[in-house]
């Protein structure tokens, strides 16, 4: 193996280097981002566009009035759409996010690219109102934010020279633990059928969200 190809298994002292973990996680994240932005391409204008069900312009005005100024609203809910929120702007963000997601899915990523993706999706979530108010939107943002620190700043190679930082891997494990634990606790707290162990008799036939 030459000096430009990383050892993707173990460090010289025998510790795991998580090269393959990073590679797989970023590819999967690219796929999820691509689906999320593709959904936005098809639905964001009818939902929050100028003539949508919940127009983003009216929402931003309410936020601005609530917090006293546009600047205060931006600090509370940062989004690119504070600067321009036309239908064309919504579509531009969605298409840009989709194309960049495909780049990540193809195997090329660095911290700058993942930061842009995170900012684009956060811009949609913060103005999406009811349509972007589900827990998985926040989970995707948290996952996307952590992924920024998996990569070198500029190097976009699938296997860059530097291994992913171990603290970031630990934070991903903590994120997965919180998601699994939280998903269980919310069910136990919210419904007696989960507490007595009978909910799964009918859960997959009657759950409102597939």
């Amino acid at each position: 193996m030459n000096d430009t190809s990383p050892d993707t298994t173990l460090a010289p002292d025998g510790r795991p280097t998580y090269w393959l973990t990073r590679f797989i996680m970023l590819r999967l994240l690219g796929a999820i981002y691509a689906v999320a932005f593709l959904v936005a391409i098809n639905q964001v204008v009818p939902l929050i566009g100028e003539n949508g069900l919940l127009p983003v312009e009216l929402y931003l005005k309410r936020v601005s009035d609530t917090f006293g100024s546009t600047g205060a609203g931006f600090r509370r809910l940062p989004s690119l759409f504070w600067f321009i929120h036309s239908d064309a702007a919504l579509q531009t963000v969605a298409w840009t996010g989709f194309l960049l997601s495909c780049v990540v899915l193809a195997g090329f990523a660095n911290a700058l690219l993942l930061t842009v993706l995170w900012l684009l999706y956060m811009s949609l979530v913060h103005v999406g109102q009811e349509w972007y108010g589900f827990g998985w939107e926040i989970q995707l943002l948290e996952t996307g934010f952590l992924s920024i620190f998996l990569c070198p700043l500029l190097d976009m190679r699938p296997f860059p020279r530097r291994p992913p930082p171990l603290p970031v891997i630990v934070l991903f494990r903590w994120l997965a633990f919180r998601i699994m634990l939280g998903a269980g606790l919310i069910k136990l707290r919210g419904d007696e059928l989960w507490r007595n162990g009978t909910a799964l008799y009918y859960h997959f036939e009657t759950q409102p969200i597939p």
Side-chain angles (χ1 to χ4, degrees):
M1 181 177 295
N2 58 45
D3 60 359
T4 61
S5 299
D7 180 352
T8 59
T9 54
L10 296 175
D13 59 3
R15 293 176 302 162
T17 55
Y18 300 101
W19 295 96
L20 186 58
T21 300
R22 173 172 59 190
F23 178 82
I24 293 175
M25 288 181 64
L26 292 179
R27 304 298 81 74
L28 293 175
L29 178 63
I32 294 171
Y33 265 141
V35 171
F37 282 112
L38 186 60
V39 169
I41 289 170
N42 288 280
Q43 297 186 358
V44 70
V45 170
L47 293 178
I48 62 173
E50 295 172 3
N51 298 306
L53 295 174
L54 296 172
V56 63
E57 182 177 7
L58 298 180
Y59 176 67
L60 292 178
K61 185 178 185 304
R62 290 199 303 271
V63 173
S64 179
D65 292 342
T66 298
F67 293 104
S69 68
T70 298
F74 177 84
R75 289 190 295 272
R76 186 62 179 252
L77 288 176
S79 172
L80 297 174
F81 299 116
W82 284 100
F83 304 100
I84 180 171
H85 41 258
S86 64
D87 288 353
L90 292 169
Q91 283 288 297
T92 297
V93 166
W95 273 106
T96 302
F98 175 72
L99 294 175
L100 294 180
S101 300
C102 291
V103 173
V104 176
L105 179 59
F108 304 96
N110 60 23
L112 290 179
L113 176 56
L114 290 170
T115 299
V116 172
L117 275 171
W118 179 73
L119 289 172
L120 292 176
Y121 199 66
M122 181 179 65
S123 293
L124 287 171
V125 170
H126 281 178
V127 300
Q129 305 163 75
E130 280 83 348
W131 319 116
Y132 282 82
F134 294 96
W136 47 74
E137 308 295 352
I138 302 302
Q139 291 170 11
L140 179 53
L141 285 178
E142 187 171 352
T143 302
F145 182 77
L146 287 179
S147 297
I148 294 171
F149 303 97
L150 278 178
C151 305
L153 181 63
L154 300 175
D155 190 350
M156 294 187 64
R157 292 177 296 176
F159 293 100
R161 181 180 298 275
R162 292 183 178 275
L166 181 58
V168 180
I169 299 297
V170 173
L171 288 173
F172 269 111
R173 291 174 176 172
W174 175 241
L175 173 61
F177 172 78
R178 288 192 293 109
I179 290 174
M180 297 301 294
L181 180 64
L185 291 178
I186 195 68
K187 291 178 174 65
L188 292 176
R189 184 185 67 182
D191 196 325
E192 183 180 352
L193 295 179
W194 286 101
R195 292 193 293 273
N196 62 29
T198 62
L200 288 182
Y201 292 171
Y202 306 104
H203 175 64
F204 296 106
E205 299 175 10
T206 61
Q207 60 179 344
I209 301 175

